[in-house]
Amino acid sequence: MSKGLIENARGGLEAWQRGDVEALAPLLHPEIELTWWEPGDWDCHGRAAVLGLLRERTEGGAGAAEIELIDAGEDAIVTSRVETVPEGPAAGLRPATLIVFRDGLAVTMRQFRDRREALAAAR
C-alpha cells in the first residue's frame, strides 16, 4: 500500500470521526459496495448510499471510536476499532473493515467481527 493512499485514508477517517462525512466522498468509487458480516440493512451500494449510511451512523456516535489502520497489501487496508463496541448489534466485538482500493479509490468496504477475520480475507 502506498504511503500516500494510507495517508489519504487516514485523513478521511479522521475527518469522519470529527463528523465530516463528506471528507470521505473523494476517496470512494462511485460504485462502491459496503457490506456487513451478515447481509442486512447496512449493506449498501454506490457512493451516495455509503455516505448516507455513514452520516446516519455518525449521528449514532459510530465515528467517535478510536480506529487503527493496518496495511493489508498492495491495494487494501484494514480499519479496526481499538476498543470493543459497548452496545448494539456488534456489542462485545471490535469490528474491522477491509477496504480495497482500485486506482486510488475505495471500491469495497467489507466489515468483519474483528481484525483477524478482516486480515484473513485480505490474504
Side-chain angles (χ1 to χ4, degrees), residues 26-76:
L27 300 173
L28 305 179
H29 188 278
E31 297 176 15
I32 188 168
E33 290 188 338
L34 185 151
T35 56
W36 206 43
W37 56 81
E38 294 178 0
D41 293 339
W42 284 0
D43 292 352
C44 51
H45 309 280
R47 182 187 295 143
V50 169
L51 291 172
L53 176 66
L54 293 175
R55 274 187 219 95
E56 180 182 311
R57 292 184 64 196
T58 298
E59 292 170 6
E66 184 179 354
I67 297 173
E68 69 176 315
L69 266 66
I70 305 160
D71 187 336
E74 183 177 326
D75 60 354

mmCIF file of all heavy atoms in Angstrom, residues 26-76:
data_model
loop_
_atom_site.group_PDB
_atom_site.id
_atom_site.type_symbol
_atom_site.label_atom_id
_atom_site.label_comp_id
_atom_site.label_asym_id
_atom_site.label_seq_id
_atom_site.Cartn_x
_atom_site.Cartn_y
_atom_site.Cartn_z
ATOM 1 N N PRO A 26 -14.359 11.999 -1.775
ATOM 2 C CA PRO A 26 -13.349 11.889 -2.826
ATOM 3 C C PRO A 26 -12.568 10.569 -2.797
ATOM 4 O O PRO A 26 -11.876 10.248 -3.764
ATOM 5 C CB PRO A 26 -12.404 13.060 -2.559
ATOM 6 C CG PRO A 26 -13.100 13.956 -1.627
ATOM 7 C CD PRO A 26 -14.104 13.128 -0.889
ATOM 8 N N LEU A 27 -12.677 9.829 -1.717
ATOM 9 C CA LEU A 27 -11.956 8.554 -1.604
ATOM 10 C C LEU A 27 -12.778 7.360 -2.082
ATOM 11 O O LEU A 27 -12.256 6.255 -2.201
ATOM 12 C CB LEU A 27 -11.555 8.309 -0.144
ATOM 13 C CG LEU A 27 -10.650 9.343 0.506
ATOM 14 C CD1 LEU A 27 -10.491 9.046 1.986
ATOM 15 C CD2 LEU A 27 -9.305 9.375 -0.185
ATOM 16 N N LEU A 28 -14.071 7.575 -2.341
ATOM 17 C CA LEU A 28 -14.975 6.477 -2.666
ATOM 18 C C LEU A 28 -15.269 6.399 -4.165
ATOM 19 O O LEU A 28 -15.640 7.397 -4.779
ATOM 20 C CB LEU A 28 -16.295 6.643 -1.904
ATOM 21 C CG LEU A 28 -16.206 6.777 -0.388
ATOM 22 C CD1 LEU A 28 -17.601 6.963 0.205
ATOM 23 C CD2 LEU A 28 -15.507 5.586 0.229
ATOM 24 N N HIS A 29 -15.146 5.204 -4.713
ATOM 25 C CA HIS A 29 -15.522 4.962 -6.100
ATOM 26 C C HIS A 29 -17.036 5.175 -6.221
ATOM 27 O O HIS A 29 -17.776 4.870 -5.279
ATOM 28 C CB HIS A 29 -15.154 3.521 -6.474
ATOM 29 C CG HIS A 29 -15.314 3.226 -7.915
ATOM 30 N ND1 HIS A 29 -16.529 2.904 -8.474
ATOM 31 C CD2 HIS A 29 -14.408 3.218 -8.921
ATOM 32 C CE1 HIS A 29 -16.361 2.698 -9.768
ATOM 33 N NE2 HIS A 29 -15.085 2.882 -10.066
ATOM 34 N N PRO A 30 -17.519 5.687 -7.345
ATOM 35 C CA PRO A 30 -18.962 5.903 -7.487
ATOM 36 C C PRO A 30 -19.805 4.647 -7.272
ATOM 37 O O PRO A 30 -20.942 4.737 -6.821
ATOM 38 C CB PRO A 30 -19.113 6.408 -8.928
ATOM 39 C CG PRO A 30 -17.787 7.001 -9.266
ATOM 40 C CD PRO A 30 -16.770 6.185 -8.511
ATOM 41 N N GLU A 31 -19.233 3.467 -7.559
ATOM 42 C CA GLU A 31 -19.986 2.218 -7.418
ATOM 43 C C GLU A 31 -19.506 1.378 -6.235
ATOM 44 O O GLU A 31 -19.622 0.148 -6.243
ATOM 45 C CB GLU A 31 -19.899 1.423 -8.722
ATOM 46 C CG GLU A 31 -20.537 2.167 -9.878
ATOM 47 C CD GLU A 31 -20.391 1.448 -11.200
ATOM 48 O OE1 GLU A 31 -20.060 0.255 -11.209
ATOM 49 O OE2 GLU A 31 -20.610 2.103 -12.223
ATOM 50 N N ILE A 32 -19.001 2.016 -5.204
ATOM 51 C CA ILE A 32 -18.501 1.309 -4.023
ATOM 52 C C ILE A 32 -19.587 0.429 -3.402
ATOM 53 O O ILE A 32 -20.769 0.761 -3.465
ATOM 54 C CB ILE A 32 -17.950 2.299 -2.973
ATOM 55 C CG1 ILE A 32 -17.263 1.545 -1.836
ATOM 56 C CG2 ILE A 32 -19.032 3.242 -2.491
ATOM 57 C CD1 ILE A 32 -16.456 2.416 -0.907
ATOM 58 N N GLU A 33 -19.152 -0.673 -2.813
ATOM 59 C CA GLU A 33 -20.054 -1.553 -2.068
ATOM 60 C C GLU A 33 -19.578 -1.631 -0.630
ATOM 61 O O GLU A 33 -18.396 -1.841 -0.371
ATOM 62 C CB GLU A 33 -20.060 -2.962 -2.660
ATOM 63 C CG GLU A 33 -20.721 -3.062 -3.989
ATOM 64 C CD GLU A 33 -20.881 -4.508 -4.432
ATOM 65 O OE1 GLU A 33 -20.141 -5.378 -3.938
ATOM 66 O OE2 GLU A 33 -21.753 -4.757 -5.255
ATOM 67 N N LEU A 34 -20.503 -1.455 0.299
ATOM 68 C CA LEU A 34 -20.220 -1.619 1.721
ATOM 69 C C LEU A 34 -21.107 -2.755 2.222
ATOM 70 O O LEU A 34 -22.328 -2.705 2.046
ATOM 71 C CB LEU A 34 -20.514 -0.328 2.486
ATOM 72 C CG LEU A 34 -20.146 -0.345 3.965
ATOM 73 C CD1 LEU A 34 -19.787 1.062 4.431
ATOM 74 C CD2 LEU A 34 -21.233 -0.910 4.843
ATOM 75 N N THR A 35 -20.478 -3.780 2.800
ATOM 76 C CA THR A 35 -21.245 -4.925 3.294
ATOM 77 C C THR A 35 -20.838 -5.238 4.731
ATOM 78 O O THR A 35 -19.683 -5.085 5.112
ATOM 79 C CB THR A 35 -21.044 -6.174 2.417
ATOM 80 O OG1 THR A 35 -19.653 -6.472 2.333
ATOM 81 C CG2 THR A 35 -21.604 -5.952 1.021
ATOM 82 N N TRP A 36 -21.813 -5.692 5.484
ATOM 83 C CA TRP A 36 -21.610 -6.106 6.864
ATOM 84 C C TRP A 36 -21.287 -7.591 6.857
ATOM 85 O O TRP A 36 -21.441 -8.264 5.845
ATOM 86 C CB TRP A 36 -22.891 -5.827 7.653
ATOM 87 C CG TRP A 36 -22.703 -5.599 9.122
ATOM 88 C CD1 TRP A 36 -21.732 -4.842 9.713
ATOM 89 C CD2 TRP A 36 -23.514 -6.107 10.174
ATOM 90 N NE1 TRP A 36 -21.899 -4.844 11.074
ATOM 91 C CE2 TRP A 36 -22.995 -5.629 11.385
ATOM 92 C CE3 TRP A 36 -24.638 -6.923 10.212
ATOM 93 C CZ2 TRP A 36 -23.538 -5.930 12.617
ATOM 94 C CZ3 TRP A 36 -25.185 -7.220 11.445
ATOM 95 C CH2 TRP A 36 -24.643 -6.730 12.633
ATOM 96 N N TRP A 37 -20.870 -8.153 8.015
ATOM 97 C CA TRP A 37 -20.518 -9.575 8.037
ATOM 98 C C TRP A 37 -21.724 -10.485 7.839
ATOM 99 O O TRP A 37 -21.572 -11.634 7.471
ATOM 100 C CB TRP A 37 -19.741 -9.972 9.283
ATOM 101 C CG TRP A 37 -20.391 -9.669 10.595
ATOM 102 C CD1 TRP A 37 -21.357 -10.393 11.226
ATOM 103 C CD2 TRP A 37 -20.106 -8.580 11.461
ATOM 104 N NE1 TRP A 37 -21.701 -9.813 12.417
ATOM 105 C CE2 TRP A 37 -20.934 -8.688 12.601
ATOM 106 C CE3 TRP A 37 -19.230 -7.498 11.392
ATOM 107 C CZ2 TRP A 37 -20.901 -7.776 13.639
ATOM 108 C CZ3 TRP A 37 -19.198 -6.600 12.437
ATOM 109 C CH2 TRP A 37 -20.038 -6.748 13.539
ATOM 110 N N GLU A 38 -22.911 -9.984 8.064
ATOM 111 C CA GLU A 38 -24.141 -10.706 7.758
ATOM 112 C C GLU A 38 -24.976 -9.802 6.854
ATOM 113 O O GLU A 38 -25.129 -8.623 7.144
ATOM 114 C CB GLU A 38 -24.926 -11.018 9.036
ATOM 115 C CG GLU A 38 -24.225 -11.973 9.965
ATOM 116 C CD GLU A 38 -25.012 -12.215 11.250
ATOM 117 O OE1 GLU A 38 -26.106 -11.643 11.419
ATOM 118 O OE2 GLU A 38 -24.508 -12.963 12.086
ATOM 119 N N PRO A 39 -25.511 -10.336 5.772
ATOM 120 C CA PRO A 39 -26.334 -9.488 4.889
ATOM 121 C C PRO A 39 -27.463 -8.821 5.675
ATOM 122 O O PRO A 39 -28.062 -9.441 6.550
ATOM 123 C CB PRO A 39 -26.891 -10.475 3.862
ATOM 124 C CG PRO A 39 -25.931 -11.624 3.880
ATOM 125 C CD PRO A 39 -25.429 -11.709 5.306
ATOM 126 N N GLY A 40 -27.698 -7.542 5.386
ATOM 127 C CA GLY A 40 -28.764 -6.847 6.097
ATOM 128 C C GLY A 40 -28.916 -5.413 5.657
ATOM 129 O O GLY A 40 -28.422 -5.000 4.604
ATOM 130 N N ASP A 41 -29.587 -4.652 6.496
ATOM 131 C CA ASP A 41 -29.925 -3.267 6.182
ATOM 132 C C ASP A 41 -28.704 -2.366 6.021
ATOM 133 O O ASP A 41 -28.804 -1.306 5.406
ATOM 134 C CB ASP A 41 -30.841 -2.681 7.259
ATOM 135 C CG ASP A 41 -32.209 -3.333 7.274
ATOM 136 O OD1 ASP A 41 -32.589 -3.930 6.238
ATOM 137 O OD2 ASP A 41 -32.888 -3.254 8.309
ATOM 138 N N TRP A 42 -27.563 -2.740 6.597
ATOM 139 C CA TRP A 42 -26.385 -1.886 6.493
ATOM 140 C C TRP A 42 -25.644 -2.077 5.188
ATOM 141 O O TRP A 42 -24.755 -1.300 4.873
ATOM 142 C CB TRP A 42 -25.444 -2.128 7.661
ATOM 143 C CG TRP A 42 -25.902 -1.496 8.935
ATOM 144 C CD1 TRP A 42 -27.042 -0.763 9.127
ATOM 145 C CD2 TRP A 42 -25.250 -1.531 10.187
ATOM 146 N NE1 TRP A 42 -27.128 -0.343 10.424
ATOM 147 C CE2 TRP A 42 -26.024 -0.813 11.110
ATOM 148 C CE3 TRP A 42 -24.078 -2.107 10.639
ATOM 149 C CZ2 TRP A 42 -25.674 -0.641 12.433
ATOM 150 C CZ3 TRP A 42 -23.724 -1.946 11.964
ATOM 151 C CH2 TRP A 42 -24.520 -1.215 12.846
ATOM 152 N N ASP A 43 -25.969 -3.108 4.424
ATOM 153 C CA ASP A 43 -25.324 -3.300 3.129
ATOM 154 C C ASP A 43 -25.819 -2.210 2.179
ATOM 155 O O ASP A 43 -27.014 -1.938 2.111
ATOM 156 C CB ASP A 43 -25.668 -4.671 2.543
ATOM 157 C CG ASP A 43 -25.057 -5.809 3.336
ATOM 158 O OD1 ASP A 43 -24.249 -5.553 4.249
ATOM 159 O OD2 ASP A 43 -25.378 -6.966 3.028
ATOM 160 N N CYS A 44 -24.884 -1.584 1.468
ATOM 161 C CA CYS A 44 -25.311 -0.562 0.521
ATOM 162 C C CYS A 44 -24.333 -0.483 -0.651
ATOM 163 O O CYS A 44 -23.185 -0.902 -0.560
ATOM 164 C CB CYS A 44 -25.508 0.789 1.188
ATOM 165 S SG CYS A 44 -24.158 1.366 2.193
ATOM 166 N N HIS A 45 -24.836 0.075 -1.735
ATOM 167 C CA HIS A 45 -24.090 0.130 -2.983
ATOM 168 C C HIS A 45 -24.147 1.537 -3.549
ATOM 169 O O HIS A 45 -25.213 2.136 -3.607
ATOM 170 C CB HIS A 45 -24.674 -0.869 -3.985
ATOM 171 C CG HIS A 45 -24.813 -2.245 -3.401
ATOM 172 N ND1 HIS A 45 -23.765 -3.118 -3.299
ATOM 173 C CD2 HIS A 45 -25.860 -2.872 -2.845
ATOM 174 C CE1 HIS A 45 -24.167 -4.241 -2.726
ATOM 175 N NE2 HIS A 45 -25.447 -4.111 -2.432
ATOM 176 N N GLY A 46 -23.012 2.037 -3.934
ATOM 177 C CA GLY A 46 -22.923 3.374 -4.510
ATOM 178 C C GLY A 46 -22.471 4.405 -3.488
ATOM 179 O O GLY A 46 -22.764 4.306 -2.296
ATOM 180 N N ARG A 47 -21.737 5.387 -3.973
ATOM 181 C CA ARG A 47 -21.160 6.429 -3.104
ATOM 182 C C ARG A 47 -22.230 7.137 -2.270
ATOM 183 O O ARG A 47 -22.071 7.314 -1.062
ATOM 184 C CB ARG A 47 -20.400 7.438 -3.944
ATOM 185 C CG ARG A 47 -19.737 8.523 -3.100
ATOM 186 C CD ARG A 47 -19.114 9.621 -3.956
ATOM 187 N NE ARG A 47 -18.019 9.105 -4.736
ATOM 188 C CZ ARG A 47 -17.754 9.503 -5.990
ATOM 189 N NH1 ARG A 47 -18.517 10.393 -6.593
ATOM 190 N NH2 ARG A 47 -16.735 9.003 -6.627
ATOM 191 N N ALA A 48 -23.331 7.538 -2.903
ATOM 192 C CA ALA A 48 -24.372 8.276 -2.171
ATOM 193 C C ALA A 48 -24.958 7.430 -1.045
ATOM 194 O O ALA A 48 -25.177 7.930 0.061
ATOM 195 C CB ALA A 48 -25.472 8.733 -3.122
ATOM 196 N N ALA A 49 -25.199 6.150 -1.301
ATOM 197 C CA ALA A 49 -25.766 5.272 -0.267
ATOM 198 C C ALA A 49 -24.782 5.062 0.873
ATOM 199 O O ALA A 49 -25.167 5.071 2.050
ATOM 200 C CB ALA A 49 -26.164 3.931 -0.880
ATOM 201 N N VAL A 50 -23.501 4.871 0.540
ATOM 202 C CA VAL A 50 -22.491 4.671 1.588
ATOM 203 C C VAL A 50 -22.366 5.933 2.442
ATOM 204 O O VAL A 50 -22.349 5.865 3.671
ATOM 205 C CB VAL A 50 -21.132 4.267 0.982
ATOM 206 C CG1 VAL A 50 -20.019 4.317 2.023
ATOM 207 C CG2 VAL A 50 -21.223 2.875 0.357
ATOM 208 N N LEU A 51 -22.294 7.085 1.801
ATOM 209 C CA LEU A 51 -22.201 8.335 2.561
ATOM 210 C C LEU A 51 -23.436 8.543 3.424
ATOM 211 O O LEU A 51 -23.337 8.999 4.568
ATOM 212 C CB LEU A 51 -21.986 9.520 1.626
ATOM 213 C CG LEU A 51 -20.615 9.578 0.936
ATOM 214 C CD1 LEU A 51 -20.601 10.682 -0.112
ATOM 215 C CD2 LEU A 51 -19.502 9.756 1.949
ATOM 216 N N GLY A 52 -24.616 8.185 2.903
ATOM 217 C CA GLY A 52 -25.848 8.297 3.692
ATOM 218 C C GLY A 52 -25.805 7.413 4.926
ATOM 219 O O GLY A 52 -26.178 7.839 6.023
ATOM 220 N N LEU A 53 -25.341 6.179 4.765
ATOM 221 C CA LEU A 53 -25.225 5.275 5.905
ATOM 222 C C LEU A 53 -24.219 5.804 6.911
ATOM 223 O O LEU A 53 -24.478 5.795 8.122
ATOM 224 C CB LEU A 53 -24.812 3.876 5.445
ATOM 225 C CG LEU A 53 -24.571 2.882 6.577
ATOM 226 C CD1 LEU A 53 -25.863 2.583 7.321
ATOM 227 C CD2 LEU A 53 -23.947 1.605 6.038
ATOM 228 N N LEU A 54 -23.087 6.305 6.433
ATOM 229 C CA LEU A 54 -22.075 6.834 7.351
ATOM 230 C C LEU A 54 -22.586 8.066 8.093
ATOM 231 O O LEU A 54 -22.284 8.244 9.278
ATOM 232 C CB LEU A 54 -20.779 7.138 6.603
ATOM 233 C CG LEU A 54 -20.049 5.914 6.069
ATOM 234 C CD1 LEU A 54 -18.840 6.333 5.247
ATOM 235 C CD2 LEU A 54 -19.648 4.978 7.202
ATOM 236 N N ARG A 55 -23.386 8.910 7.421
ATOM 237 C CA ARG A 55 -23.998 10.055 8.111
ATOM 238 C C ARG A 55 -24.908 9.563 9.234
ATOM 239 O O ARG A 55 -24.866 10.075 10.353
ATOM 240 C CB ARG A 55 -24.811 10.905 7.135
ATOM 241 C CG ARG A 55 -24.026 11.925 6.402
ATOM 242 C CD ARG A 55 -24.930 12.847 5.576
ATOM 243 N NE ARG A 55 -24.277 13.121 4.323
ATOM 244 C CZ ARG A 55 -24.466 12.459 3.181
ATOM 245 N NH1 ARG A 55 -25.358 11.512 3.097
ATOM 246 N NH2 ARG A 55 -23.783 12.771 2.111
ATOM 247 N N GLU A 56 -25.731 8.578 8.906
ATOM 248 C CA GLU A 56 -26.654 8.011 9.892
ATOM 249 C C GLU A 56 -25.887 7.408 11.073
ATOM 250 O O GLU A 56 -26.239 7.634 12.233
ATOM 251 C CB GLU A 56 -27.501 6.933 9.212
ATOM 252 C CG GLU A 56 -28.512 6.259 10.096
ATOM 253 C CD GLU A 56 -29.263 5.180 9.334
ATOM 254 O OE1 GLU A 56 -29.754 5.461 8.218
ATOM 255 O OE2 GLU A 56 -29.347 4.051 9.851
ATOM 256 N N ARG A 57 -24.844 6.668 10.785
ATOM 257 C CA ARG A 57 -24.062 6.049 11.855
ATOM 258 C C ARG A 57 -23.298 7.086 12.674
ATOM 259 O O ARG A 57 -23.107 6.920 13.867
ATOM 260 C CB ARG A 57 -23.124 4.994 11.271
ATOM 261 C CG ARG A 57 -23.946 3.813 10.723
ATOM 262 C CD ARG A 57 -23.122 2.688 10.224
ATOM 263 N NE ARG A 57 -22.353 2.087 11.302
ATOM 264 C CZ ARG A 57 -21.324 1.282 11.112
ATOM 265 N NH1 ARG A 57 -20.948 0.972 9.885
ATOM 266 N NH2 ARG A 57 -20.672 0.776 12.134
ATOM 267 N N THR A 58 -22.880 8.177 12.021
ATOM 268 C CA THR A 58 -22.194 9.251 12.737
ATOM 269 C C THR A 58 -23.129 9.882 13.760
ATOM 270 O O THR A 58 -22.728 10.163 14.887
ATOM 271 C CB THR A 58 -21.668 10.311 11.746
ATOM 272 O OG1 THR A 58 -20.721 9.682 10.884
ATOM 273 C CG2 THR A 58 -21.000 11.462 12.463
ATOM 274 N N GLU A 59 -24.376 10.082 13.358
ATOM 275 C CA GLU A 59 -25.363 10.647 14.280
ATOM 276 C C GLU A 59 -25.561 9.746 15.487
ATOM 277 O O GLU A 59 -25.873 10.215 16.577
ATOM 278 C CB GLU A 59 -26.687 10.884 13.557
ATOM 279 C CG GLU A 59 -26.617 11.985 12.528
ATOM 280 C CD GLU A 59 -27.844 12.059 11.636
ATOM 281 O OE1 GLU A 59 -28.824 11.329 11.883
ATOM 282 O OE2 GLU A 59 -27.806 12.854 10.674
ATOM 283 N N GLY A 60 -25.354 8.442 15.310
ATOM 284 C CA GLY A 60 -25.464 7.479 16.409
ATOM 285 C C GLY A 60 -24.169 7.304 17.186
ATOM 286 O O GLY A 60 -24.095 6.477 18.084
ATOM 287 N N GLY A 61 -23.125 8.061 16.817
ATOM 288 C CA GLY A 61 -21.871 8.015 17.544
ATOM 289 C C GLY A 61 -20.852 7.020 17.019
ATOM 290 O O GLY A 61 -19.793 6.844 17.624
ATOM 291 N N ALA A 62 -21.122 6.382 15.877
ATOM 292 C CA ALA A 62 -20.214 5.343 15.367
ATOM 293 C C ALA A 62 -18.832 5.874 15.027
ATOM 294 O O ALA A 62 -17.851 5.170 15.197
ATOM 295 C CB ALA A 62 -20.822 4.660 14.146
ATOM 296 N N GLY A 63 -18.728 7.075 14.542
ATOM 297 C CA GLY A 63 -17.433 7.604 14.131
ATOM 298 C C GLY A 63 -16.538 8.044 15.263
ATOM 299 O O GLY A 63 -15.381 8.374 15.044
ATOM 300 N N ALA A 64 -17.057 8.043 16.480
ATOM 301 C CA ALA A 64 -16.290 8.563 17.605
ATOM 302 C C ALA A 64 -15.241 7.588 18.134
ATOM 303 O O ALA A 64 -14.357 7.980 18.875
ATOM 304 C CB ALA A 64 -17.238 8.949 18.739
ATOM 305 N N ALA A 65 -15.298 6.339 17.751
ATOM 306 C CA ALA A 65 -14.379 5.329 18.264
ATOM 307 C C ALA A 65 -12.982 5.511 17.680
ATOM 308 O O ALA A 65 -12.815 5.917 16.536
ATOM 309 C CB ALA A 65 -14.891 3.938 17.930
ATOM 310 N N GLU A 66 -11.970 5.184 18.490
ATOM 311 C CA GLU A 66 -10.593 5.204 18.003
ATOM 312 C C GLU A 66 -10.387 4.019 17.064
ATOM 313 O O GLU A 66 -10.791 2.895 17.359
ATOM 314 C CB GLU A 66 -9.612 5.126 19.167
ATOM 315 C CG GLU A 66 -8.178 5.234 18.738
ATOM 316 C CD GLU A 66 -7.199 5.179 19.896
ATOM 317 O OE1 GLU A 66 -7.625 5.176 21.065
ATOM 318 O OE2 GLU A 66 -5.996 5.123 19.606
ATOM 319 N N ILE A 67 -9.767 4.292 15.921
ATOM 320 C CA ILE A 67 -9.578 3.282 14.887
ATOM 321 C C ILE A 67 -8.103 3.217 14.508
ATOM 322 O O ILE A 67 -7.442 4.241 14.383
ATOM 323 C CB ILE A 67 -10.414 3.627 13.631
ATOM 324 C CG1 ILE A 67 -11.900 3.617 13.977
ATOM 325 C CG2 ILE A 67 -10.125 2.664 12.490
ATOM 326 C CD1 ILE A 67 -12.797 4.102 12.858
ATOM 327 N N GLU A 68 -7.609 1.980 14.316
ATOM 328 C CA GLU A 68 -6.249 1.832 13.802
ATOM 329 C C GLU A 68 -6.321 1.423 12.339
ATOM 330 O O GLU A 68 -7.269 0.753 11.923
ATOM 331 C CB GLU A 68 -5.459 0.807 14.615
ATOM 332 C CG GLU A 68 -5.904 -0.614 14.455
ATOM 333 C CD GLU A 68 -5.017 -1.602 15.200
ATOM 334 O OE1 GLU A 68 -3.786 -1.495 15.125
ATOM 335 O OE2 GLU A 68 -5.584 -2.487 15.845
ATOM 336 N N LEU A 69 -5.331 1.840 11.552
ATOM 337 C CA LEU A 69 -5.225 1.469 10.150
ATOM 338 C C LEU A 69 -4.089 0.473 9.996
ATOM 339 O O LEU A 69 -2.999 0.688 10.519
ATOM 340 C CB LEU A 69 -4.929 2.692 9.281
ATOM 341 C CG LEU A 69 -6.109 3.393 8.660
ATOM 342 C CD1 LEU A 69 -6.974 4.025 9.705
ATOM 343 C CD2 LEU A 69 -5.651 4.392 7.649
ATOM 344 N N ILE A 70 -4.364 -0.613 9.269
ATOM 345 C CA ILE A 70 -3.384 -1.669 9.080
ATOM 346 C C ILE A 70 -3.189 -1.884 7.590
ATOM 347 O O ILE A 70 -4.161 -2.098 6.851
ATOM 348 C CB ILE A 70 -3.876 -2.986 9.734
ATOM 349 C CG1 ILE A 70 -4.203 -2.752 11.208
ATOM 350 C CG2 ILE A 70 -2.854 -4.097 9.551
ATOM 351 C CD1 ILE A 70 -5.121 -3.802 11.801
ATOM 352 N N ASP A 71 -1.956 -1.843 7.134
ATOM 353 C CA ASP A 71 -1.632 -2.123 5.743
ATOM 354 C C ASP A 71 -1.952 -3.589 5.484
ATOM 355 O O ASP A 71 -1.428 -4.476 6.151
ATOM 356 C CB ASP A 71 -0.155 -1.840 5.504
ATOM 357 C CG ASP A 71 0.255 -1.946 4.050
ATOM 358 O OD1 ASP A 71 -0.428 -2.646 3.280
ATOM 359 O OD2 ASP A 71 1.283 -1.346 3.694
ATOM 360 N N ALA A 72 -2.837 -3.858 4.523
ATOM 361 C CA ALA A 72 -3.273 -5.230 4.261
ATOM 362 C C ALA A 72 -2.896 -5.691 2.853
ATOM 363 O O ALA A 72 -3.517 -6.587 2.306
ATOM 364 C CB ALA A 72 -4.781 -5.345 4.478
ATOM 365 N N GLY A 73 -1.903 -5.066 2.271
ATOM 366 C CA GLY A 73 -1.464 -5.471 0.945
ATOM 367 C C GLY A 73 -1.335 -4.292 0.015
ATOM 368 O O GLY A 73 -1.489 -3.141 0.404
ATOM 369 N N GLU A 74 -1.070 -4.603 -1.235
ATOM 370 C CA GLU A 74 -0.803 -3.566 -2.231
ATOM 371 C C GLU A 74 -1.960 -2.599 -2.421
ATOM 372 O O GLU A 74 -1.765 -1.413 -2.643
ATOM 373 C CB GLU A 74 -0.471 -4.229 -3.569
ATOM 374 C CG GLU A 74 -0.099 -3.247 -4.646
ATOM 375 C CD GLU A 74 0.292 -3.946 -5.926
ATOM 376 O OE1 GLU A 74 0.874 -5.030 -5.871
ATOM 377 O OE2 GLU A 74 -0.002 -3.374 -6.988
ATOM 378 N N ASP A 75 -3.185 -3.091 -2.322
ATOM 379 C CA ASP A 75 -4.341 -2.240 -2.612
ATOM 380 C C ASP A 75 -5.423 -2.336 -1.549
ATOM 381 O O ASP A 75 -6.604 -2.148 -1.835
ATOM 382 C CB ASP A 75 -4.928 -2.595 -3.977
ATOM 383 C CG ASP A 75 -5.391 -4.051 -4.047
ATOM 384 O OD1 ASP A 75 -5.154 -4.804 -3.085
ATOM 385 O OD2 ASP A 75 -5.986 -4.432 -5.068
ATOM 386 N N ALA A 76 -5.024 -2.627 -0.303
ATOM 387 C CA ALA A 76 -6.030 -2.809 0.748
ATOM 388 C C ALA A 76 -5.520 -2.337 2.101
ATOM 389 O O ALA A 76 -4.324 -2.397 2.384
ATOM 390 C CB ALA A 76 -6.436 -4.279 0.836
#
